[in-house]
Structure formats: structure tokens, C-alpha cells
């Protein structure tokens, strides 16, 4: 009778079920955070999904060689950066300069950068515990139970702290002063 278990499509052999399960659990737990990194690298959701998939495939192949499981996020991020650079170089060869300008405007990231700066200043105006709770919840995408454990408070306290912080951010007049929303142009 042949041995059972998942097959490694790249190497042709059987995978150790424990390692396969470890990798699956890692991806399940860290998928959102890694996807955010991929989105920052690519700026496009479809490209980010492709980039994350490619980096996870490389990580899967190297899973047994990575000794420090705490550094796994760094390994995946490095794989994403290297893959993105490789894709960028390949695309760069496909683009040739012309005398004609493109019809569509190029996205200016200045407004996005201004918004991030204004939001950073608004977060600094929050009390420390509220700021930490908001950052862990919305930037690090941690569940409330993990935030409670990290901050040494109850889940209910996390919920109320985040709620109060979000209310303060909504009422923050400094945020409106820091970042003015331009008037909408009339539709044609």
C-alpha cells in the first residue's frame, strides 16, 4: 500500500503532515497583514494577490529551511519585495518611450501622503492606550482577544477603548484642519 498524505507538487514527494499544517495555519493567521504589505508594494489588488501567492509559494518551498518561525513574516515580505522587483524589471523592458503622452492622467500620490500624515497627527493626539488599541486593531489587523492579551486588559475594555478612540477621531477638528477635502468637480 502506498503512503498517504499531501504531495509536494514541486518536489514530487510526500509532505510531512505536521509541516503542511503549520504552513496552512501560518497563512491563515497572517494572510490579512501580508496582503496589506502586498497592496503597498503593488498598489493594485489583483497584482497584490498574485504577488502574495508567489511569495507564499517560495516560502512553502523553503519552509523546512527556515529555523526561526518568529521571523517568518520577514521572510515572506523579503520574498514579496524580491518578486516585485523582478516583475518590475520585466515590465520595464516592455515599456518604450514615445512622443505621445497617455490620455489618462497619472495618479499623484501627494493627496494620499497628506492624508496619511494628517491621520498620524490625529492618532498622536489620542491618549496612549486608545492610540495603541486603534493601531493594533486597524493597522495590525489584530482580533480583539489578541489586543486584550497584548495590552493586559479585557476584551470588553478593548471594544470600549477602540469605540471611544474612533469617536474622538470623528470629532477631531484638527483632522479637518490638517487635511482639507477638495470640492467635487461637477460631472459632465
Amino acid at each position: 500500500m502506498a503512503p498517504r498524505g499531501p504531495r509536494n507538487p514541486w518536489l514530487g514527494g510526500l509532505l510531512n503532515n505536521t509541516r503542511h499544517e503549520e504552513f496552512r495555519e501560518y497563512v491563515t493567521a497572517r494572510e490579512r497583514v501580508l496582503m496589506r504589505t502586498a497592496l503597498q508594494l503593488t498598489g493594485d489588488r489583483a497584482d497584490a494577490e498574485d504577488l502574495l501567492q508567489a511569495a507564499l509559494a517560495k516560502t512553502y518551498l523553503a519552509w523546512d529551511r527556515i529555523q526561526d518561525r518568529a521571523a517568518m513574516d520577514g521572510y515572506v515580505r523579503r520574498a514579496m519585495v524580491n518578486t516585485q522587483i523582478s516583475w518590475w524589471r520585466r515590465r520595464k523592458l516592455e515599456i518604450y518611450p514615445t512622443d505621445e503622452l497617455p490620455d489618462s492622467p497619472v495618479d499623484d500620490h501627494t493627496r494620499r501622503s497628506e492624508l496619511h500624515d494628517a491621520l498620524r497627527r490625529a492618532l498622536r493626539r489620542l491618549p496612549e492606550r486608545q492610540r495603541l488599541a486603534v493601531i493594533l486593531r486597524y493597522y495590525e489587523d489584530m482580533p480583539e482577544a489578541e489586543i486584550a492579551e497584548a495590552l493586559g486588559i479585557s476584551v470588553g475594555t478593548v471594544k470600549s477603548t477602540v469605540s471611544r478612540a474612533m469617536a474622538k477621531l470623528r470629532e477631531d477638528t484638527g483632522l479637518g484642519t490638517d487635511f482639507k477635502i477638495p470640492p467635487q468637480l461637477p460631472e459632465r
Side-chain angles (χ1 to χ4, degrees):
M1 182 173 200
R4 294 182 180 212
R7 295 188 72 65
N8 184 328
W10 294 282
L11 303 177
L14 292 175
L15 285 176
N16 178 320
N17 279 336
T18 305
R19 290 185 185 123
H20 180 74
E21 189 61 27
E22 280 178 9
F23 180 76
R24 190 189 67 71
E25 287 173 4
Y26 168 75
V27 171
T28 302
R30 302 301 293 164
E31 182 178 19
R32 285 182 167 170
V33 172
L34 295 171
M35 184 60 177
R36 246 192 339 264
T37 302
L39 276 167
Q40 289 175 342
L41 287 169
T42 62
D44 177 67
R45 182 138 187 104
D47 288 343
E49 289 172 355
D50 291 344
L51 179 62
L52 180 57
Q53 185 70 27
L56 287 175
K58 290 177 183 180
T59 304
Y60 183 76
L61 291 174
W63 189 258
D64 292 334
R65 293 189 315 261
I66 303 170
Q67 301 298 318
D68 185 8
R69 296 292 192 231
M72 194 59 65
D73 281 359
Y75 184 91
V76 176
R77 285 187 185 107
R78 175 50 47 199
M80 281 193 282
V81 167
N82 290 345
T83 303
Q84 180 65 12
I85 289 170
S86 176
W87 290 354
W88 175 77
R89 286 180 179 152
R90 214 174 303 139
R91 270 187 235 139
K92 187 176 174 185
L93 295 175
E94 298 169 0
I95 300 172
Y96 300 101
T98 66
D99 291 334
E100 297 178 28
L101 292 175
D103 290 337
S104 60
V106 177
D107 185 19
D108 180 11
H109 297 288
T110 308
R111 298 282 299 159
R112 190 177 318 158
S113 179
E114 289 172 356
L115 178 61
H116 284 270
D117 289 343
L119 187 55
R120 226 175 269 123
R121 285 190 295 273
L123 285 171
R124 275 192 233 126
R125 289 190 288 266
L126 290 174
E128 184 178 359
R129 188 155 99 179
Q130 289 181 0
R131 181 175 51 247
L132 285 172
V134 168
I135 289 171
L136 293 175
R137 181 69 181 108
Y138 296 107
Y139 280 86
E140 294 299 321
D141 204 24
M142 289 174 65
E144 290 159 344
E146 285 182 32
I147 297 169
E149 186 177 322
L151 298 179
I153 56 179
S154 71
V155 174
T157 304
V158 169
K159 290 179 182 181
S160 63
T161 301
V162 169
S163 177
R164 282 193 305 275
M166 295 306 291
K168 278 188 178 183
L169 287 173
R170 281 187 211 99
E171 296 170 2
D172 189 344
T173 57
L175 189 57
T177 306
D178 285 345
F179 188 76
K180 301 256 188 249
I181 299 174
Q184 294 291 326
L185 295 175
E187 292 185 26
R188 293 181 187 191

